[in-house]
Amino acid sequence: MNIRLIASDLDGTLLTDKKEISEMTKEALKETARRGIHFVPATGRSFSAVPKEVLGLPNTEYVITSNGAAIYSISMGKRIYECILDEKSVETILKVEKPESIVMEAFVEGIPYSDRTYVENPKAYGATDYGAVYVKNTRHAVEDISFFVKENRKQIDSMAFVGGTPKLREKFRQTLLTEVPHIYVTSSVSHMLEVGNEDAGKGKTLGKLLELLHISPEEAMSFGDADNDIPMLTAVKYGFAMENGAESCKKIAFSVTDSNEQDGVAKAILQMMEKL
């Protein structure tokens, strides 16, 4: 066994419920760095919303953002790969009838923009206490998000639709998949639909990074907890689902580790390193 790269989702996976990195996780990642193993955060967040503490982790040069829409080089401070939404896909999305209880977001060149009503009251659209703080601290409020998206349709990394009932979201998901070309739709949290280019996604973009670094899938590990992590878990030989994760993740994973509150990522890394 020769692990050369570890990729991990952030929320619900690497980070605790308080959006922190535990001391055990920090120590495990220091050990991976000592062994020359790349650590790659892979998140649905935009680049500007990735915590500085994450970007400063040892041997972390690359970060996958916006569900695979881009790969950034941290030392260079810029993206080295992108797979953004097609302009025609964006235009078609704007024509799809959206339930009033669902608000829209758009990530443009690594920055998240959201409908002002969502930024002002995230909990009304399903956000948790910590989620509400995160939204208010990271989103740029826009008065007319549809107009904003139309004006920036050539440079949309990805989009998200937040709120509504489960039934409404599922109906809207099916409408998007039926009417909009060249997209995929996924979810990192239950109250949100995330839309990206059909050739993006964490799994495909992780594959691009592995090719760039001349690392095979057999030499990589990944961690995740939600539906948007499934492609990443199956893109490498050692894909770990979190105990707190979705059943769909657990079903396809190489193995299931402890929850994000119980240092699941750190425990799996330390256990695997004993076999290196």
Side-chain angles (χ1 to χ4, degrees):
M1 188 183 297
N2 181 28
I3 301 299
R4 298 175 57 199
L5 183 146
I6 298 171
S8 178
D9 172 53
L10 297 182
D11 301 288
T13 303
L14 185 76
L15 304 178
T16 67
D17 290 345
K18 292 184 179 181
K19 308 304 179 186
E20 298 171 344
I21 304 173
S22 73
E23 289 304 315
M24 184 176 181
T25 299
K26 291 177 183 177
E27 290 303 313
L29 295 180
K30 286 180 182 178
E31 179 60 23
T32 64
R34 189 183 71 78
R35 300 188 185 206
I37 299 171
H38 294 276
F39 180 73
V40 180
T43 178
R45 297 186 184 215
S46 65
F47 184 68
S48 68
V50 177
K52 291 182 179 179
E53 185 180 22
V54 171
L55 298 179
L57 287 170
N59 216 29
T60 299
E61 167 58 14
Y62 305 101
V63 55
I64 296 171
T65 65
S66 302
N67 282 327
I71 302 173
Y72 282 83
S73 162
I74 296 172
S75 64
M76 296 171 66
K78 66 178 183 179
R79 59 178 62 183
I80 60 171
Y81 169 82
E82 68 177 18
C83 187
I84 66 177
L85 278 166
D86 180 78
E87 179 182 355
K88 291 184 178 179
S89 297
V90 175
E91 292 173 345
T92 307
I93 289 172
L94 292 175
K95 294 176 183 177
V96 175
E97 185 176 354
K98 177 177 64 63
E100 291 184 2
S101 57
I102 293 178
V103 292
M104 184 165 62
E105 295 191 298
F107 294 179
V108 180
E109 297 183 342
I111 300 174
Y113 298 86
S114 302
D115 188 299
R116 180 172 294 280
T117 59
Y118 176 47
V119 179
E120 292 177 347
N121 189 11
K123 288 187 178 181
Y125 297 92
T128 63
D129 289 343
Y130 282 102
V133 173
Y134 163 71
V135 169
K136 290 183 177 183
N137 287 341
T138 60
R139 267 47 180 174
H140 294 250
V142 177
E143 294 293 345
D144 188 341
I145 189 68
S146 294
F147 177 78
F148 175 83
V149 170
K150 184 177 180 180
E151 289 294 293
N152 291 276
R153 61 189 180 277
K154 294 182 179 180
Q155 49 191 351
I156 303 291
D157 295 342
S158 60
M159 298 174 68
F161 296 89
V162 190
T165 64
K167 185 176 180 180
L168 271 178
R169 284 194 300 273
E170 181 55 31
K171 184 178 180 181
F172 189 55
R173 176 200 293 268
Q174 294 303 322
T175 300
L176 288 171
L177 290 171
T178 300
E179 298 186 13
V180 185
H182 310 308
I183 64 167
Y184 80 99
V185 182
T186 189
S187 294
S188 58
V189 291
S190 60
H191 62 283
M192 179 184 294
L193 298 176
E194 294 151 271
V195 182
N197 187 301
E198 64 181 350
D199 292 323
K202 292 186 182 182
K204 290 182 178 179
T205 302
L206 176 57
K208 294 289 185 182
L209 182 58
L210 290 174
E211 290 178 11
L212 176 68
L213 298 175
H214 304 290
I215 297 173
S216 73
E218 289 73 26
E219 298 173 303
M221 297 171 65
S222 63
F223 294 88
D225 73 305
D227 286 349
N228 66 325
D229 296 314
I230 290 175
M232 180 171 68
L233 299 188
T234 57
V236 300
K237 184 174 181 179
Y238 305 105
F240 286 81
M242 310 302 292
E243 181 57 45
N244 56 287
E247 289 302 317
S248 53
C249 258
K250 298 178 187 179
K251 186 176 180 180
I252 57 85
F254 166 79
S255 184
V256 177
T257 188
D258 283 346
S259 74
N260 65 316
E261 284 287 278
Q262 297 175 312
D263 297 304
V265 171
K267 289 176 181 176
I269 289 174
L270 293 172
Q271 183 178 32
M272 292 291 281
M273 284 199 300
E274 290 181 359
K275 302 176 182 179
L276 296 183

